[in-house]
Amino acid sequence: MAQHILIVEDDARLAELIAAYLTKHGYQVSLHGRGDTAPAVILDARPDLVVLDVMLPGKEGFDVCRDVRPHYGGRILMMTARDEDVDEILGLELGADDYLAKPVEPRRLLARIRALLRRSGAQSEGGGVVVENDSITFGQFRISQATREALLGDEQIELTTAEFDLLWLLATHAGQVLSRDDIMSELRGIGFDGLDRSIDARISRLRRKLGDNPDTPARIKTVRGKGYLFSRSDWE
């Protein structure tokens, strides 16, 4: 069954163009054009992902995101014509999963949507690993997409937005080697250019926060020449 995407956008022409493009790529797409009625529509339809514009009649997208996030476990991708970092930070803090500035290139939007939907695990895998719609547990470690929190034992791990996104990506692919190109494509919708060291720096910070040995890491392992592997064990 096709995954359902709800586009909340008051620019009817843009919404229809996006809908046609996503439908062409196999998604079921619905449209809605107002912010004040959007929360009820989202909670009633329960789509797999919401593409949510910021500037909407009746209620801003930020307020829509804040209203539905406690009750909606699907993905929220926010879009805005504003090109300000504060908007991105605010959207992510209110519970959005990703953020794109307009004008949006269709292939980039599709890549972001695919990446967000791939992060949605929904199975119990055994072996001490429990995967639910919005959380994963490995022994003493638990990470929740719904609350954007990670806990090691009873201690909450303080993470930046970027660190959480990377940790969630690694955890949802536990036991698999992810290359830098895989990670950049999933998180940003672009490939690794060979010079960007931000992923390596973020991995180093995550290891420190997870109590991993920097010299012989066991929880986030480096596979030489391949990439990084998040361990399914070593969490007791």
Side-chain angles (χ1 to χ4, degrees), residues 31 133 161 185:
L31 303 179
N133 284 331
T161 295
S185 295

Side-chain angles (χ1 to χ4, degrees), residues 206-221:
L206 284 177
R207 283 172 171 160
R208 184 173 65 253
K209 293 182 178 184
L210 293 170
D212 215 357
N213 187 321
D215 298 320
T216 56
R219 292 175 169 174
I220 302 179
K221 302 177 182 179

